[in-house]
Short mmCIF file of all heavy atoms in Angstrom, two decimals:
data_model
loop_
_atom_site.label_atom_id
_atom_site.label_comp_id
_atom_site.label_asym_id
_atom_site.label_seq_id
_atom_site.Cartn_x
_atom_site.Cartn_y
_atom_site.Cartn_z
N LEU A 158 -10.49 -6.90 12.90
CA LEU A 158 -9.87 -5.59 12.69
C LEU A 158 -10.89 -4.46 12.85
O LEU A 158 -11.19 -3.70 11.93
CB LEU A 158 -9.21 -5.55 11.30
CG LEU A 158 -8.04 -6.52 11.12
CD1 LEU A 158 -7.50 -6.44 9.70
CD2 LEU A 158 -6.92 -6.23 12.12
N THR A 159 -11.37 -4.34 14.08
CA THR A 159 -12.26 -3.24 14.44
C THR A 159 -11.42 -2.02 14.83
O THR A 159 -10.22 -2.14 15.09
CB THR A 159 -13.13 -3.63 15.64
OG1 THR A 159 -12.27 -3.87 16.76
CG2 THR A 159 -13.95 -4.88 15.34
N PRO A 160 -12.02 -0.84 14.90
CA PRO A 160 -11.27 0.31 15.40
C PRO A 160 -10.66 0.06 16.78
O PRO A 160 -9.53 0.49 17.04
CB PRO A 160 -12.33 1.42 15.42
CG PRO A 160 -13.24 1.07 14.29
CD PRO A 160 -13.34 -0.44 14.34
N ASP A 161 -11.38 -0.62 17.66
CA ASP A 161 -10.83 -0.90 19.00
C ASP A 161 -9.55 -1.72 18.90
O ASP A 161 -8.56 -1.43 19.59
CB ASP A 161 -11.86 -1.67 19.85
CG ASP A 161 -12.95 -0.75 20.40
OD1 ASP A 161 -12.70 0.47 20.49
OD2 ASP A 161 -14.04 -1.25 20.75
N THR A 162 -9.54 -2.73 18.03
CA THR A 162 -8.35 -3.57 17.86
C THR A 162 -7.20 -2.78 17.27
O THR A 162 -6.07 -2.83 17.76
CB THR A 162 -8.67 -4.77 16.95
OG1 THR A 162 -9.69 -5.57 17.55
CG2 THR A 162 -7.44 -5.63 16.73
N VAL A 163 -7.48 -2.03 16.22
CA VAL A 163 -6.43 -1.28 15.54
C VAL A 163 -5.82 -0.22 16.45
O VAL A 163 -4.62 0.07 16.37
CB VAL A 163 -6.97 -0.64 14.24
CG1 VAL A 163 -5.95 0.30 13.61
CG2 VAL A 163 -7.37 -1.74 13.25
N ASN A 164 -6.62 0.33 17.34
CA ASN A 164 -6.13 1.37 18.24
C ASN A 164 -5.44 0.85 19.49
O ASN A 164 -4.77 1.61 20.18
CB ASN A 164 -7.28 2.29 18.65
CG ASN A 164 -7.64 3.29 17.57
OD1 ASN A 164 -6.97 4.29 17.39
ND2 ASN A 164 -8.70 2.99 16.83
N SER A 165 -5.59 -0.45 19.76
CA SER A 165 -5.05 -0.97 21.02
C SER A 165 -4.00 -2.06 20.85
O SER A 165 -3.16 -2.25 21.73
CB SER A 165 -6.18 -1.53 21.89
OG SER A 165 -6.83 -2.63 21.25
N GLN A 166 -4.01 -2.77 19.71
CA GLN A 166 -3.09 -3.89 19.56
C GLN A 166 -1.67 -3.43 19.25
O GLN A 166 -1.44 -2.32 18.78
CB GLN A 166 -3.58 -4.85 18.46
CG GLN A 166 -4.51 -5.93 18.95
CD GLN A 166 -3.81 -6.96 19.85
OE1 GLN A 166 -2.59 -6.94 20.01
NE2 GLN A 166 -4.58 -7.85 20.44
N THR A 167 -0.72 -4.32 19.48
CA THR A 167 0.69 -4.01 19.25
C THR A 167 1.01 -3.98 17.76
O THR A 167 0.31 -4.56 16.93
CB THR A 167 1.59 -5.06 19.91
OG1 THR A 167 1.35 -6.33 19.27
CG2 THR A 167 1.31 -5.17 21.41
N GLY A 168 2.12 -3.32 17.45
CA GLY A 168 2.60 -3.32 16.07
C GLY A 168 2.91 -4.72 15.59
O GLY A 168 2.65 -5.06 14.43
N ALA A 169 3.43 -5.56 16.48
CA ALA A 169 3.75 -6.94 16.11
C ALA A 169 2.48 -7.69 15.71
O ALA A 169 2.45 -8.39 14.69
CB ALA A 169 4.43 -7.66 17.27
N PHE A 170 1.41 -7.56 16.48
CA PHE A 170 0.15 -8.24 16.19
C PHE A 170 -0.37 -7.83 14.82
O PHE A 170 -0.81 -8.68 14.03
CB PHE A 170 -0.88 -7.91 17.27
CG PHE A 170 -2.24 -8.51 17.02
CD1 PHE A 170 -2.54 -9.79 17.46
CD2 PHE A 170 -3.23 -7.79 16.35
CE1 PHE A 170 -3.81 -10.34 17.24
CE2 PHE A 170 -4.48 -8.33 16.12
CZ PHE A 170 -4.77 -9.61 16.56
N LEU A 171 -0.31 -6.54 14.52
CA LEU A 171 -0.89 -6.03 13.28
C LEU A 171 0.00 -6.28 12.07
O LEU A 171 -0.43 -6.88 11.09
CB LEU A 171 -1.19 -4.53 13.45
CG LEU A 171 -2.27 -4.20 14.49
CD1 LEU A 171 -2.27 -2.71 14.80
CD2 LEU A 171 -3.64 -4.65 14.02
N HIS A 172 1.25 -5.84 12.14
CA HIS A 172 2.12 -5.94 10.97
C HIS A 172 2.53 -7.38 10.64
O HIS A 172 2.92 -7.66 9.49
CB HIS A 172 3.37 -5.08 11.18
CG HIS A 172 3.11 -3.62 11.05
ND1 HIS A 172 2.96 -2.97 9.84
CD2 HIS A 172 2.94 -2.66 12.00
CE1 HIS A 172 2.72 -1.69 10.05
NE2 HIS A 172 2.71 -1.47 11.34
N ARG A 173 2.42 -8.28 11.60
CA ARG A 173 2.77 -9.68 11.33
C ARG A 173 1.52 -10.54 11.07
O ARG A 173 1.61 -11.75 11.01
CB ARG A 173 3.57 -10.26 12.50
CG ARG A 173 4.86 -9.51 12.77
CD ARG A 173 5.60 -10.09 13.96
NE ARG A 173 6.58 -9.14 14.50
CZ ARG A 173 7.30 -9.34 15.60
NH1 ARG A 173 7.16 -10.48 16.28
NH2 ARG A 173 8.15 -8.43 16.02
N PHE A 174 0.36 -9.89 10.95
CA PHE A 174 -0.91 -10.59 10.67
C PHE A 174 -1.18 -11.69 11.70
O PHE A 174 -1.59 -12.80 11.34
CB PHE A 174 -0.91 -11.19 9.27
CG PHE A 174 -0.63 -10.21 8.16
CD1 PHE A 174 0.43 -10.40 7.29
CD2 PHE A 174 -1.42 -9.08 7.99
CE1 PHE A 174 0.69 -9.50 6.27
CE2 PHE A 174 -1.16 -8.17 6.97
CZ PHE A 174 -0.11 -8.38 6.11
N GLN A 175 -0.99 -11.38 12.97
CA GLN A 175 -1.12 -12.41 14.00
C GLN A 175 -2.57 -12.78 14.31
O GLN A 175 -2.81 -13.68 15.10
CB GLN A 175 -0.37 -11.97 15.26
CG GLN A 175 1.14 -12.01 15.10
CD GLN A 175 1.89 -11.60 16.35
OE1 GLN A 175 1.31 -11.10 17.31
NE2 GLN A 175 3.20 -11.80 16.34
#
Side-chain angles (χ1 to χ4, degrees):
L158 295 178
T159 63
D161 282 338
T162 299
V163 172
N164 282 281
S165 63
Q166 271 291 353
T167 64
F170 177 87
L171 295 168
H172 286 282
R173 301 178 199 175
F174 305 123
Q175 289 181 349

